């Protein structure tokens, strides 16, 4: 049975594919939701600072100053107000889509819990920032928000006197209230910024800026909407009456009709339960984690490649502890390691050609060691026959995630060191290698696709050897719904390989090596 998460993930993949065509994989908006959130925050921050120059904190003056900047200075301050409003709305939309997308891609459980947990307060701070901003306008909508919010707050046992009493009559409200609201509207976004910074602390090279082109498109679209539909007030607040008709900002204030109708206790209980549910989701149910990567000092020279390539800041270089001639050694934080295997693919010791002694590398996955990977490749090669033999090294999160003849599925294609492709071709295991990763727009393990491309292009260590013919390698980046494209490209590749003929100077494996590989694969299968 297909679960909700699978349906959503395939749905996102189908929506994102045409966006790849329209914007390109690097500029795809749905693959840049996190960085777009940061970009929108800065738009809101800059326009808010600019609006503060024109804002007056008096009871009457607050509304008048907003009207003055919106009408008399519409071409700059009015534009800033509209940008402030629409960028805030879009930030809410981006945040909610980002939340659902990460959940559907299952990138929130296990050792990736930290970013999810720290994202929960980010969500609430975004809403609080928007709500306090609406109070400052002090129009009829602000009056409605103030009355509804203070009545909700008064249900908490923290306040000596009811806050709502400040809004009973026009005389009960003073300018000091707006000074307080300005303080809150500055303090809450600063706390939001702090939480956003904490949110990305376990991520290597976190993308906090969208591609320049996508940022320019987003800003241009916001400016166009700001000119086409300028933000406007809804008449001055009047505490002598209760606003009967108002227009809500459904993005930020969408829950206010519910708050207005439901008892405060129900609202607070619901908020608490939703928050606890969000925080507990990474363990509902808990994910069975593969063992973290393990360092073998006899084969580690402290080169720092694994540290540089790890997408999750799970590897640090520390002073040597075994007395070897090298200065540093790799150290793995098991609480952060997701067992993607990218570190194994980056290690210069990860060469399948080595035959003296057991095949151990400087950093390895206990649940999927290099020796087992080499055996799987040999076994997959023995399944291939006829002209145009194609072995597929596949990502478990892309279109090639289903086991097939001649296919080796990995947690990430960057787990395969470039020397493995050389091994496959030089040992006559296949006529060509198809590297089938997940969608180009958004690697499941963040940087696996990029590192693989750069290794093959010989621009990142470990390099693919110059002797490996590039025409014998095919890279296909395909999401879970792009099976047809993967099959078509693989079929065309096999036809080209058949036309090329066999590779010269191959050294086929000894029958004993093939037999030993079969035994390793069989033993690994029993363990799993």
């Amino acid at each position: 049975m297909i679960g909700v998460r699978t349906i959503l993930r395939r749905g996102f993949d189908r929506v994102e594919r045409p966006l790849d065509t329209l914007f390109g994989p690097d500029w795809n908006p749905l693959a840049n939701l996190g960085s777009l959130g940061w970009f929108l925050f800065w738009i809101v921050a800059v326009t808010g600072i600019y609006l503060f120059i024109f804002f007056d904190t008096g009871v009457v003056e607050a509304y008048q100053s907003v009207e003055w900047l919106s009408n008399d200075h519409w071409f700059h301050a009015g534009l800033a107000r509209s940008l402030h409003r629409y960028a805030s709305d879009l930030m809410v939309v981006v945040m909610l889509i980002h939340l659902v997308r990460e959940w559907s891609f299952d990138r929130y459980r296990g050792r990736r819990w930290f970013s999810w947990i720290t994202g929960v307060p980010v969500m609430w701070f975004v809403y609080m920032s928007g709500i306090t901003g609406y109070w400052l306008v002090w129009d009829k909508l602000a009056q409605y928000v103030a009355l509804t919010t203070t009545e909700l707050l008064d249900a908490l046992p923290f306040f000596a006197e009811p806050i709502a009493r400040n809004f009973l009559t026009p005389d009960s409200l003073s300018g000091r209230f707006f000074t307080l609201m300005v303080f809150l509207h500055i303090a809450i976004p600063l706390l939001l910024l702090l939480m956003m910074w904490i949110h990305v602390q376990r991520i290597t090279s976190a993308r906090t800026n969208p591609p320049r082109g996508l940022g320019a498109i987003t800003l241009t679209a916001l400016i166009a909407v700001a000119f086409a539909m300028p933000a406007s007030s809804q008449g001055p607040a009047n505490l002598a009456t209760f606003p009967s008709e108002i227009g809500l900002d459904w993005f930020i204030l969408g829950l206010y009709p519910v708050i207005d109708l439901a008892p405060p206790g129900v609202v607070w209980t619901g908020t608490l339960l939703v928050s606890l549910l969000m925080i507990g989701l990474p363990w509902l149910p808990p994910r069975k984690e593969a063992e973290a990567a393990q360092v073998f000092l006899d084969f580690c020279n402290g080169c720092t490649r694994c540290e540089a390539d790890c997408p999750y800041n799970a590897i640090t270089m520390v002073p040597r502890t075994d007395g070897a001639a090298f200065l540093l050694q790799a150290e793995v934080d098991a609480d952060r390691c997701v067992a993607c295997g990218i570190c194994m693919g980056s290690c210069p010791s990860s060469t399948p050609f080595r035959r003296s002694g057991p095949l151990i590398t400087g950093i390895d996955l206990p649940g999927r060691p290099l020796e087992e990977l080499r055996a799987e490749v040999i076994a997959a090669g023995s399944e291939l026959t006829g002209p145009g033999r194609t072995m597929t090294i596949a990502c478990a999160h892309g279109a090639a995630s289903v086991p097939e003849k001649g296919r080796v599925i990995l947690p990430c294609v960057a787990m395969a060191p470039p020397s493995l492709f050389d091994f496959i071709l030089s040992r006559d295991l296949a006529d060509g290698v198809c590297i089938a990763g997940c969608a180009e727009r958004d690697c499941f393990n963040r940087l696996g696709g990029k590192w693989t491309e750069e290794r093959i292009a010989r621009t990142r260590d470990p390099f693919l050897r110059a002797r490996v013919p590039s025409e014998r390698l095919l890279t296909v980046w395909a999401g879970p719904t792009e099976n047809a494209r993967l099959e078509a490209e693989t079929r065309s590749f096999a036809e080209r390989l058949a036309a090329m003929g066999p590779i010269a100077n191959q050294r086929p494996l000894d029958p004993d090596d093939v037999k030993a590989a079969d035994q390793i694969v069989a033993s690994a299968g029993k363990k799993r």
Side-chain angles (χ1 to χ4, degrees), residues 20-239:
D20 278 349
T21 304
L22 183 62
F23 292 95
D26 291 339
W27 289 14
N28 192 311
L30 290 179
N32 287 279
L33 292 170
S35 58
L36 280 176
W38 279 87
F39 181 63
L40 292 168
F41 173 86
W42 292 119
I43 293 176
V44 174
V46 170
T47 53
I49 293 170
Y50 188 68
L51 289 172
F52 184 68
I53 298 172
F54 304 90
F55 185 73
D56 197 326
T57 57
V59 175
V60 177
E61 291 81 1
Y63 177 80
Q64 291 178 342
S65 64
V66 172
E67 287 299 285
W68 174 68
L69 68 87
S70 299
N71 297 319
D72 294 2
H73 296 273
W74 62 269
F75 53 93
H76 61 99
L79 173 63
R81 180 191 179 187
S82 297
L83 277 176
H84 193 73
R85 155 77 183 273
Y86 294 126
S88 300
D89 287 346
L90 186 57
M91 186 175 180
V92 171
V93 173
V94 165
M95 175 184 68
L96 294 179
I97 297 176
H98 183 54
L99 182 150
V100 175
R101 189 173 184 271
E102 293 304 295
W103 181 85
S104 66
F105 278 64
D106 200 15
R107 294 194 289 213
Y108 68 100
R109 292 192 296 160
R111 297 180 183 123
R112 298 177 81 161
W113 63 269
F114 182 82
S115 295
W116 179 272
I117 295 297
T118 54
V120 175
V122 166
M123 179 178 66
W124 293 127
F125 277 126
V126 167
Y127 278 113
M128 287 191 290
S129 299
I131 291 168
T132 54
Y134 269 107
W135 283 32
L136 293 176
V137 179
W138 203 234
D139 60 355
K140 292 179 180 178
L141 175 59
Q143 181 183 349
Y144 166 76
V145 172
L147 289 170
T148 305
T149 304
T150 53
E151 289 175 359
L152 182 64
L153 291 173
D154 285 340
L156 298 174
F158 307 136
F159 303 101
E161 295 182 356
I163 307 174
R165 65 185 298 178
N166 294 300
F167 303 95
L168 294 177
T169 65
D171 296 333
S172 61
L173 190 63
S174 69
R176 287 179 297 177
F177 168 77
F178 289 94
T179 303
L180 173 63
M181 293 310 302
V182 168
F183 171 77
L184 290 176
H185 196 52
I186 295 173
I188 293 174
L190 287 176
L191 291 173
L192 168 61
L193 179 60
L194 174 63
M195 289 308 306
M196 290 170 64
W197 175 78
I198 294 173
H199 181 62
V200 299
Q201 285 310 291
R202 285 199 174 190
I203 300 174
T204 302
S205 302
R207 292 184 297 177
T208 55
N209 292 308
R212 290 185 179 181
L214 180 59
I217 292 171
T218 303
L219 181 58
T220 301
L222 286 170
I223 293 174
V225 173
F227 276 123
M229 297 184 297
S232 60
S233 304
Q234 300 185 34
N238 182 4
L239 294 180

